[in-house]
Amino acid sequence: MPDRASGRHLPSLNAVRSFVAVARHLSFTKAADELAVTQGAVSRMMQTLQADLGVELFRRVGRGIELTPTGAAFYGEASAALDRIAAAARAARAQEGGVLRVSALPTLTQRWLIPRLKGFQAENPDIQVEVSVGEHRVDFAKERIDVAIRYGVEEWPGAEMATLMPETMGIFCAPSLLEQGPPLRHPADLAQHRLLQHTTRPDSWRVYLAAFGLPLPEAALSLAFEHFFMIIEAASAGMGVALLPVFLAGDDVASGRLVQPFAETLRPRGRYLIAHAPGAERARRVRRFKEWLLAEVE
């Protein structure tokens, strides 16, 4: 369609969306399913787009299709352009107030974020917060997430990051383990205990013990769990010794469910991060939430 204001000739946005779907699936049928239209409608859209551009974007190969070199180049640019349009639309819809979608680590969400959210909502009653859990690197151009809280990510293409807080790891166990088990007064005593392992941080015990010049007793790693909240529950049940972020164990220590048998801790290289799409802080809800998070950890 002509863009008279700029003198540009732009193809139909619906045609470009249809093309990107066909190119992604290399199937008119699957693209039609994704777009909730008929296969015939997609086929006609592709004929119109190719005529508009004056080039062939697909060619038949047996009973299927493949992209031409021109089609492959156009797919890369068009797909990225649609992602940018989607991101711009989300930012435009949510400049003030609205819904704030937060994705955070499971145990941090349960033990740290949720107990504090009441304070944020008291200060910002016009912002509705939706919280989900996740550990993956969010693609802010494609996912409906405004802010992510993650651990240890050094590079994150398509995101702006700020440090929420460093991490200090300490040793915790149930009081009954100290009363009934072998001594646990120094890091060297860990060799006499079952060590509860974190499956997504498999090297954590080795790194901790190496900091004190100690080897990893392989036989001690007989129980493993995916999340810190699982390890906390296992430790409080007397099933072994846990290596935990100190801030996540604080409430359990205060209630007497866990004890910290000695003071030796370790600060890993990783850190907790706040991440969002570039420029997302222009939206008040993102800016206010980020400011509130940083104030909470001061």
Side-chain angles (χ1 to χ4, degrees):
M1 68 180 65
D3 180 353
R4 294 183 177 86
S6 65
R8 293 175 296 192
H9 185 86
L10 300 177
S12 159
L13 183 59
N14 279 338
V16 174
R17 288 181 62 242
S18 299
F19 164 74
V20 168
V22 174
R24 181 167 54 250
H25 297 293
L26 290 178
S27 166
F28 285 83
T29 302
K30 291 181 179 178
D33 290 341
E34 176 183 319
L35 298 168
V37 298
T38 65
Q39 181 179 341
V42 172
S43 180
R44 289 189 296 274
M45 196 79 73
M46 292 305 93
Q47 292 172 7
T48 300
L49 179 62
Q50 291 182 115
D52 189 21
L53 297 177
V55 297
E56 287 191 354
L57 301 172
F58 304 97
R59 57 174 165 241
R60 291 285 177 182
V61 179
R63 301 180 67 178
I65 60 171
E66 69 178 12
L67 290 167
T68 64
T70 300
F74 185 61
Y75 170 59
E77 295 290 342
S79 180
L82 288 178
D83 288 342
R84 290 193 295 272
I85 291 170
R90 285 196 300 272
R93 291 189 188 105
Q95 286 295 312
E96 301 296 330
V99 178
L100 175 74
R101 296 177 176 87
V102 178
S103 171
L105 299 165
T107 306
L108 182 142
T109 299
Q110 181 190 67
R111 300 281 174 142
W112 188 85
L113 180 59
I114 290 176
R116 290 168 168 78
L117 270 180
K118 183 178 180 180
F120 176 77
Q121 294 218 285
E123 297 174 9
N124 303 275
D126 60 321
I127 300 176
Q128 178 184 336
V129 182
E130 292 184 2
V131 179
S132 61
V133 297
E135 298 178 295
H136 67 290
R137 189 175 298 185
V138 175
D139 185 343
F140 291 102
K142 296 181 179 179
E143 299 180 58
R144 297 186 67 193
I145 294 172
D146 298 305
V147 177
I149 303 175
R150 295 293 188 264
Y151 175 81
V153 180
E154 295 300 327
E155 295 183 4
W156 196 327
E160 290 182 6
M161 295 184 294
T163 297
L164 177 62
M165 56 182 159
E167 183 179 65
T168 300
M169 301 292 287
I171 302 301
F172 298 88
C173 66
S176 60
L177 201 67
L178 293 184
E179 297 167 1
Q180 303 168 12
L184 188 56
R185 302 186 187 93
H186 310 283
D189 294 335
L190 291 167
Q192 306 302 316
H193 290 266
R194 175 185 289 153
L195 308 181
L196 304 175
Q197 189 174 13
H198 195 308
T199 57
T200 60
R201 296 200 200 176
D203 290 334
S204 56
W205 275 112
R206 180 186 59 78
V207 172
Y208 177 86
L209 291 165
F212 301 99
L214 299 169
L216 176 67
E218 296 288 349
L221 299 175
S222 59
L223 279 175
F225 301 90
E226 183 179 6
H227 299 297
F228 278 127
F229 70 81
M230 298 176 179
I231 295 175
I232 290 171
E233 292 305 312
S236 67
M239 297 172 67
V241 180
L243 177 61
L244 299 169
V246 172
F247 80 99
L248 291 179
D251 289 345
D252 294 277
V253 171
S255 69
R257 296 180 73 224
L258 292 177
V259 295
Q260 190 170 3
F262 48 80
E264 283 83 351
T265 59
L266 175 70
R267 178 163 287 189
R269 294 176 59 189
R271 57 202 168 109
Y272 291 92
L273 301 164
I274 307 168
H276 54 72
E281 280 186 286
R282 289 194 295 269
R284 175 179 167 272
R285 72 197 199 292
V286 173
R287 183 174 63 255
R288 291 288 294 143
F289 187 69
K290 184 175 180 179
E291 292 170 348
W292 174 79
L293 283 173
L294 293 172
E296 284 295 307
V297 299
E298 285 180 353

